[in-house]
Amino acid sequence: MFSLLGFFVVCPVDRVLKFNQGVITLTSSSERLTIRQPDDWHVHLRDGPILKAVVESTARVFRRAIVMPNLNPPIKSIDAAVAYRERILESLPTGVSFTPLMTAYLTDNFPEDVLERGYIEDVFSAAKLYPAHSTTNSEDGVSDLTVIDSLVETMARIGMPLLIHGEVVDPDIDIFDREAYFIENHLSPLLNRHPDLRVVLEHITTEQAVEFVEGSGSNVAATITPHHLRINRNAMFAGGFRSDFYCLPVAKRERHRLALRRAATSGKACFFLGTDSAPHTRSAKENSCGCAGIFNAPNALESYIEVFEEEGALDYFEAFASEHGPAFYGLPLNTSSLTIVKKTQVVPTFFEVVNATNSIEKILPFHAGETLSWSIELDQ
Ligand code: NCD
Ligand code: ZN
């Protein structure tokens, strides 16, 4: 058996979220906020023991999620996506309604007919572009955007969203400049070639990305993570090297974090919630070549809402968390609701994964051990 029990029991099986059905009206006071149930438009749920350990953190809060395909091996076929979706559904706690939206992992020679059929048959909600060697399990990714131009043309024709990890991998380009460089030299030309292509620039980290998305048409949007709203690059080096804050794209300077906070809380439809929750075990992160990724799913919503409160933008929180994403993807809004109350909580210091050999590994969540000022209301 696999267990999600960390240092604290986060959500025992008999405590499930209370969701009201029907038309939602936003009720808000400084102490309590009821919003349409949110979705997570970018999450890594992994597979096997880690999937079983982490899926509840996402599914207890989010009604749907765009699930990243960078497994090992990646999701490159309709059958693989269907089987992975099944494994996710089988891992859900009883009584939780959660819809995983699957994505295809693009390669230099991904068959166009498979991509088109997967989208038409509602297996693939989108396709994910990882520049080869840009991040976790991206070795099979795309070597150059021009190589998949005809595939992209098909996507533009059928309206299939292209989700982009927007970084170059050239070692001559400074790691803190790789997103801006990608936008200028690869994304902008791509959109010039395919002006109607629907693009989500994922987990943006720079003011250049904010400006690019704001200056594009309604076919271009971006997801913003909680961690990029909360930390800048100094977090990785506070008193020593802190791998818990290492993710890709890496957090940038403070002025970029502030630009992201302005974008997320602006009420603009081109920005929406995507946690990029990316769990790795301690041993995988504390390593001479540690993995990139921050596991924020357990408290992502509470982390975001503090940002909106600090920015005086609670009125826009529901739009960012629950409305802009479905509008971009052309999906119905959720009809269930969720209440967040102004009540402090201490974030667990770790979660446990029981792996295939029955040994226990830890995964540290974002905000581990910190006190957050909002809590999601649970059915007692
Ligand atoms: C992600 C992962 O570990 O799968 N890591 C991360 O730092 N965000 C991959 C990704 O989205 O880059
Ligand atoms: Zn990701």
Side-chain angles (χ1 to χ4, degrees):
M1 278 312 293
F2 305 112
S3 106
L4 168 65
L5 305 185
F7 191 59
F8 297 81
V9 175
V10 176
C11 185
V13 177
D14 59 341
R15 287 173 79 210
V16 291
L17 286 177
K18 182 166 38 182
F19 297 127
N20 307 320
Q21 297 299 317
V23 179
I24 310 303
T25 46
L26 177 69
T27 49
S28 139
S29 71
S30 55
E31 298 301 309
R32 188 178 192 81
L33 193 67
T34 296
I35 59 167
R36 197 182 286 281
Q37 194 181 358
D39 305 299
D40 184 350
W41 300 99
H42 181 130
V43 69
H44 301 268
L45 293 179
R46 312 298 194 209
D47 211 346
I50 298 190
L51 166 64
K52 290 183 194 310
V54 304
V55 70
E56 180 180 2
S57 297
T58 294
R60 69 191 255 280
V61 174
F62 299 104
R63 178 64 187 79
R64 299 169 288 200
I66 285 277
V67 180
M68 289 297 129
N70 62 332
L71 303 182
N72 188 11
I75 303 297
K76 296 185 204 164
S77 70
I78 295 176
D79 286 352
V82 169
Y84 183 33
R85 183 167 61 191
E86 257 333 285
R87 295 197 294 283
I88 295 168
L89 292 173
E90 281 164 10
S91 306
L92 291 175
T94 319
V96 170
S97 296
F98 173 71
T99 305
L101 303 170
M102 311 312 289
T103 54
Y105 180 109
L106 294 184
T107 60
D108 279 356
N109 46 21
F110 198 103
E112 275 176 51
D113 58 329
V114 174
L115 195 66
E116 181 163 0
R117 189 157 55 82
Y119 183 64
I120 307 272
E121 291 178 0
D122 264 344
V123 175
F124 298 137
S125 295
K128 179 67 192 268
L129 171 89
Y130 289 106
H133 309 291
S134 57
T135 187
T136 309
N137 294 338
S138 63
E139 292 72 18
D140 296 352
V142 172
S143 60
D144 192 296
L145 270 175
T146 55
V147 174
I148 57 159
D149 212 52
S150 130
L151 197 70
V152 171
E153 196 174 312
T154 302
M155 295 181 66
R157 175 173 54 77
I158 63 178
M160 181 176 193
L162 176 64
L163 316 183
I164 299 185
H165 183 110
E167 287 191 290
V168 291
V169 295
D170 183 347
D172 289 340
I173 310 293
D174 189 286
I175 190 164
F176 295 103
D177 298 331
R178 288 181 190 174
E179 182 176 277
Y181 191 93
F182 179 90
I183 291 169
E184 192 179 332
N185 297 285
H186 298 274
L187 181 55
S188 183
L190 178 80
L191 282 161
N192 287 338
R193 294 197 297 277
H194 307 283
D196 298 328
L197 181 67
R198 294 168 69 202
V199 166
V200 183
L201 188 52
E202 300 286 349
H203 40 51
I204 58 170
T205 60
T206 56
E207 60 189 8
Q208 289 92 333
V210 169
E211 279 166 23
F212 181 82
V213 172
E214 284 178 337
S216 299
S218 60
N219 56 315
V220 178
T223 51
I224 305 182
T225 75
H227 43 279
H228 289 115
L229 295 171
R230 310 274 317 221
I231 59 166
N232 64 28
R233 62 189 191 176
N234 293 323
M236 281 182 291
F237 308 104
F241 176 63
R242 294 180 176 265
S243 58
D244 292 330
F245 299 114
Y246 172 54
C247 65
L248 286 168
V250 281
K252 307 294 192 299
R253 285 180 180 278
E254 178 65 358
R255 79 161 193 274
H256 295 290
R257 185 181 78 95
L258 297 178
L260 295 172
R261 285 171 75 102
R262 281 194 295 274
T265 60
S266 66
K268 292 184 181 168
C270 54
F271 300 114
F272 47 85
L273 186 157
T275 64
D276 192 21
S277 181
H280 292 281
T281 59
R282 277 322 292 146
S283 56
K285 281 194 78 70
E286 283 177 354
N287 190 302
S288 63
C289 186
C291 292
I294 294 179
F295 176 46
N296 60 30
N299 294 95
L301 203 70
E302 300 94 317
S303 185
Y304 279 119
I305 197 171
E306 278 190 11
V307 172
F308 278 73
E309 185 181 32
E310 285 160 11
E311 298 292 326
L314 279 177
D315 285 352
Y316 288 133
F317 184 60
E318 183 180 41
F320 176 79
S322 316
E323 294 174 355
H324 296 164
F328 182 86
Y329 277 88
L331 293 170
L333 296 175
N334 293 326
T335 52
S336 44
S337 69
L338 171 153
T339 297
I340 314 170
V341 290
K342 197 75 186 287
K343 182 174 160 215
T344 58
Q345 60 165 309
V346 179
V347 177
T349 51
F350 62 84
F351 285 69
E352 284 184 351
V353 181
V354 182
N355 65 26
T357 58
N358 251 359
S359 58
I360 294 176
E361 296 230 48
K362 288 179 186 167
I363 299 178
L364 269 64
F366 188 45
H367 295 300
E370 289 176 26
T371 301
L372 295 176
S373 51
W374 292 79
S375 300
I376 295 171
E377 194 169 75
L378 300 171
D379 209 359
Q380 297 303 317

